[in-house]
């Protein structure tokens, strides 16, 4: 089986970020970057599938600046076999990402594309579904369990009201949710081995015109400061004053 | 000529989305996938697809693409189900897409939260059509009246994904995203039975829904569909009570639209107190029974 795992370099999801004072972007001064956590879960799942079936090949791909090599090396350290870095200085929107990944998928012919359900920087939750649509493949988003079953995957996905299990014939696309797995701690030998794994750099193939453009970044309106109450009695009085009880 | 298709899973979802549709200011049609589309929310046409069960995303998006012609805007209320399908629909239509719209600047400029709500982005749409998922709390309830033309439509979609099983828990409590009161708990709730009796108990006493933090869901204390936050549900009740919730950025991203946030936490330095309207420094195991006793519920 061949698994393609697209990953995105994002600002540290646990850092507090602010807009630039002129509103033209996000202030990333002093902020670290990491693999989008949902994508790291996708890498981990692909590597676990490889560990169960040694004939599996795991290819990771990232689109963006050369800096994304750092995240691709991390994915290789988790256990991916090889990496592709599609280099572009353009800020791609989700349709643009889906277009580049569709071209790559047509070239590589993976059986499965596993990727994060959303990136923690733009919170779009679009690229996977758009890619599946472009390829005409079945999809399962918000996956919390993935099991190969003959020529198909059985994917349990979280829903608004519980969960459901879908059967997706290959080739198919799965986007990962938080509870699919817990990515492993990367030990030093993995990091050393990752340095010599193949990483292929190439230009963007499609360069699709953007469908959307972000024109301004601003801080959200601050909530007026609240107050502490001393007791349950005071709390209930305050709730009654506000008319919510 | 610009026109919106508002896609709803059921009539209640249609009512939630109609506030946005009216604020957008374009003529619109309402399509209800299940149930009968209401004719009094200001739509030109009230379309009912009459599905018994909503199919997986590949078949549904394919069916929706067949009725999308002629619309410049296609929108649905933000939820896991709509994000699953509408982004695929956008891919099929080669459309622009804006997720989680919270404000309309014009029919082609929208605002949305990014980076767990730390930043509000203004997004300009450069292509037609545009697919939108919208947060209903930002747009209020729709004005009711008038009479749309009621029609049935057939969605002729096909796909290869097959649903093997489905579980819907839910139960008797109101829907988390529509509830007037939400009571949420975090990891201090220890286990599923404690969560249910303490958090569920107070939620029931207040006629509300129960919610949970990611930590509580990850550790099996609460089921996944109760997760509130950046990657879970976005709630906007009149009253949000967070008990034993530290208040991570990711959790706060899901509750910011609540009218009144109450925090109960025994740690006086918990970040939740920075964002709560009312804070009570107390052990939730003392405070919640006392609240219920004094309310007599």
């Amino acid at each position: 089986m061949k698994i393609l795992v697209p990953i995105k370099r994002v600002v540290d999801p646990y850092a507090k970020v602010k807009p630039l004072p002129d509103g033209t972007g996000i202030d990333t001064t002093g902020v670290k970057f990491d693999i989008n956590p949902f994508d790291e879960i996708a890498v981990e799942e692909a590597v676990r599938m490889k560990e169960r079936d040694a004939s599996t090949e795991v290819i990771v791909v990232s689109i963006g600046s050369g800096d994304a090599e750092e995240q691709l090396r991390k994915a290789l350290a988790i256990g991916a076999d090889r990496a592709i870095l599609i280099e572009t200085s353009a800020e791609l929107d989700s349709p643009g990402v889906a277009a580049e990944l569709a071209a790559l998928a047509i070239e590589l012919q993976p059986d499965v594309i596993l990727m994060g359900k959303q990136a923690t920087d733009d919170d779009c939750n679009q690229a996977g579904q758009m890619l599946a649509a472009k390829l005409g493949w079945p999809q399962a988003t918000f996956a919390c369990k993935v099991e190969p079953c003959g020529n198909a995957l059985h994917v349990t996905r979280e829903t608004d009201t519980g969960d459901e299990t879908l059967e997706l014939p290959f080739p198919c696309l799965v986007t990962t949710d938080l509870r699919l797995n817990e990515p492993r701690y990367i030990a030093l030998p993995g990091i050393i081995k990752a340095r010599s794994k193949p990483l292929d750099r190439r230009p963007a193939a499609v360069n699709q015109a953007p469908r959307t453009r972000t024109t301004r970044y601003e801080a959200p309106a601050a909530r007026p400061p609240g107050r502490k109450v001393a007791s349950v009695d005071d709390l209930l009085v305050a709730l009654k004053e506000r008319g919510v009880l | 000529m610009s026109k919106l298709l508002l896609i709803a899973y059921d009539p209640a979802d249609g009512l939630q989305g109609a506030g946005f549709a009216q604020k957008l200011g374009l003529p619109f049609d309402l399509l209800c996938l299940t149930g009968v589309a209401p004719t009094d929310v200001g739509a030109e046409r009230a379309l009912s697809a009459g599905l018994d069960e909503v199919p997986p995303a590949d078949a549904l998006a394919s069916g929706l693409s067949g009725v999308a012609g002629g619309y410049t805007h296609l929108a649905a209320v933000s939820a896991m189900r709509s994000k699953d399908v509408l982004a695929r629909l956008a891919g099929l239509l080669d459309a622009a897409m804006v997720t989680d719209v919270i404000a309309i600047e014009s029919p082609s400029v929208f605002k949305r939260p990014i980076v767990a709500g730390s930043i509000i982005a203004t997004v300009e749409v450069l292509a037609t059509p545009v697919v939108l998922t919208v947060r209903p709390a930002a747009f209020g309830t729709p004005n009711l009246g008038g009479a749309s033309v009621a029609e049935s439509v057939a969605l002729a979609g096909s796909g290869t994904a097959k649903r093997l099983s489905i579980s819907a828990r839910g139960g008797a409590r109101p829907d988390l995203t529509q509830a007037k009161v939400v009571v949420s708990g975090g990891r201090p709730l220890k286990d599923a039975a404690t969560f249910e009796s303490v958090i569920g108990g107070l939620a029931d006493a207040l006629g509300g829904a129960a919610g949970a933090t990611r930590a509580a869901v990850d550790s099996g204390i609460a089921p996944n569909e109760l997760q509130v936050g950046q990657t879970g549900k976005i709630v906007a009740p009149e009253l949000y009570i967070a008990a034993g919730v530290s208040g991570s950025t990711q959790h706060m991203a899901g509750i910011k639209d609540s009218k009144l946030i109450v925090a109960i936490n025994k740690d006086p330095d918990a970040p939740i107190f920075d964002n709560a309207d009312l804070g009570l420094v107390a052990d939730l195991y003392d405070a919640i029974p006392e609240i219920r006793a004094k309310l007599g519920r």
Side-chain angles (χ1 to χ4, degrees):
Chain A
M1 188 174 8
K2 190 189 277 186
I3 307 176
L4 180 64
V5 186
I7 66 172
K8 185 178 185 185
R9 172 182 165 89
V10 298
V11 291
D12 175 1
Y14 301 102
K16 285 244 181 228
V17 296
K18 289 195 195 108
L20 288 168
D22 65 0
T24 57
I26 299 171
D27 186 354
T28 55
T29 317
V31 180
K32 282 193 292 193
F33 285 79
D34 205 341
I35 300 184
N36 171 41
F38 294 100
D39 296 340
E40 187 173 352
I41 289 168
V43 175
E44 174 69 31
E45 192 66 20
V47 171
R48 288 186 191 187
M49 287 164 79
K50 180 185 165 68
E51 285 165 351
R52 286 195 295 266
D53 172 4
S55 68
T56 300
E57 183 187 18
V58 178
I59 307 165
V60 286
V61 55
S62 193
I63 304 172
S65 77
D67 295 340
E69 177 173 349
E70 184 188 347
Q71 282 64 46
L72 287 169
R73 292 286 174 208
K74 183 173 175 184
L76 293 170
I78 294 171
D81 296 294
R82 62 188 176 99
I84 296 168
L85 175 50
I86 298 175
E87 286 187 283
T88 173
S89 56
E91 292 235 0
L92 296 184
D93 58 2
S94 301
V97 169
E100 297 298 336
L101 293 175
L104 185 68
I106 288 164
E107 176 194 324
L108 297 177
Q109 300 280 316
D111 302 290
V112 178
I113 297 177
L114 260 173
M115 59 198 284
K117 68 168 181 175
Q118 73 190 62
T120 53
D121 54 0
D122 62 33
D123 283 336
C124 275
N125 198 327
Q126 299 174 9
Q129 296 91 309
M130 288 175 175
L131 174 56
K134 292 257 164 262
L135 295 168
W137 294 4
Q139 73 184 47
T141 51
F142 307 102
C144 60
K145 192 176 172 196
V146 176
E147 273 182 310
C149 191
N151 284 324
L153 284 185
H154 287 187
V155 182
T156 303
R157 52 187 300 273
E158 297 188 352
T159 69
D160 294 298
T161 52
D163 56 55
E164 67 175 4
T165 302
L166 298 181
E167 180 176 84
L168 309 180
F170 294 138
C172 60
L173 183 142
V174 175
T175 75
T176 59
D177 214 322
L178 292 168
R179 282 167 284 276
L180 180 58
N181 62 51
E182 217 170 289
R184 69 194 64 191
Y185 172 79
I186 304 167
L188 190 61
I191 296 169
I192 292 167
K193 213 168 151 192
R195 287 186 195 142
S196 57
K197 286 185 179 174
L199 189 150
D200 159 33
R201 291 168 182 268
R202 53 166 83 185
V206 185
N207 292 301
Q208 176 176 286
R211 305 273 189 267
T212 55
R213 177 174 61 199
T214 300
T215 55
R216 189 174 164 74
Y217 298 79
E218 60 195 318
R223 206 175 178 91
R227 66 183 173 93
K228 285 202 175 128
V229 292
S231 66
V232 165
D233 288 330
D234 289 355
L235 175 63
L236 293 175
V237 167
L239 291 177
K240 279 174 187 150
E241 276 170 7
R242 306 274 194 127
V244 292
L245 279 188
Chain B
M1 168 95 192
S2 294
K3 190 167 188 183
L4 163 72
L5 178 65
L6 176 63
I7 300 164
Y9 280 74
D10 52 42
D13 193 35
L15 199 60
Q16 269 211 310
F20 164 83
Q22 293 182 359
K23 292 253 173 14
L24 184 63
L26 300 177
F28 72 99
D29 292 340
L30 167 63
L31 168 62
C32 270
L33 300 177
T34 66
V36 177
T39 55
D40 61 352
V41 299
E44 289 186 349
R45 297 192 298 160
L47 309 169
S48 302
L51 300 176
D52 293 325
E53 192 186 71
V54 176
D58 55 346
L60 182 55
S62 145
L64 289 170
S65 71
V67 298
Y71 296 101
T72 53
H73 294 64
L74 300 110
V77 168
S78 281
M80 294 166 84
R81 60 190 181 183
S82 62
K83 287 177 179 176
D84 183 38
V85 172
L86 265 71
R88 187 175 179 104
L89 176 63
L92 292 177
L93 300 176
D94 225 352
M97 183 164 183
V98 186
T99 302
D100 288 330
V101 171
I102 56 166
I104 304 164
E105 301 279 289
S106 80
S108 61
V109 181
F110 302 94
K111 291 191 177 190
R112 61 178 300 263
I114 60 171
V115 210
S118 307
I119 291 173
I120 306 300
T122 303
V123 180
E124 185 184 354
V125 176
L126 307 170
T128 307
V130 59
V131 173
L132 308 162
T133 63
V134 305
R135 294 208 182 156
F139 303 103
T141 49
N143 301 315
L144 298 181
S148 318
V149 179
E151 292 175 37
S152 306
V153 290
L155 296 183
S158 64
T160 55
K162 198 168 97 191
R163 185 176 284 134
L164 301 178
S165 65
I166 187 160
S167 88
R169 288 180 281 260
R173 288 183 192 132
D175 182 286
L176 191 48
T177 57
Q178 298 183 23
K180 297 260 185 289
V181 176
V182 173
V183 183
S184 267
R187 194 146 38 191
L189 272 305
K190 293 178 196 151
D191 54 44
T194 312
F195 179 89
E196 177 52 31
S197 74
V198 176
I199 299 298
L202 182 58
D204 289 343
L206 299 172
T213 64
R214 177 191 167 184
V217 175
D218 282 355
S219 49
I221 293 169
N224 63 269
E225 67 272 17
L226 299 195
Q227 184 178 323
V228 172
Q230 178 192 17
T231 72
K233 291 214 164 79
I234 306 298
V235 301
E238 304 285 320
L239 171 62
Y240 187 85
I241 300 179
V245 172
S246 63
S248 70
T249 308
Q250 287 75 13
H251 186 74
M252 300 314 292
I255 72 169
K256 276 183 183 161
D257 296 330
S258 306
K259 294 254 165 51
L260 186 71
I261 298 174
V262 174
I264 301 170
N265 200 304
K266 65 180 178 186
D267 173 9
D269 300 321
I272 185 105
F273 288 122
D274 297 338
N275 290 292
D277 302 296
L278 295 168
L280 175 64
V281 179
D283 189 325
L284 70 94
Y285 291 107
D286 299 328
I288 289 183
E290 189 182 342
I291 291 169
R292 290 188 63 183
K294 287 184 170 156
L295 288 173
R297 306 184 212 174

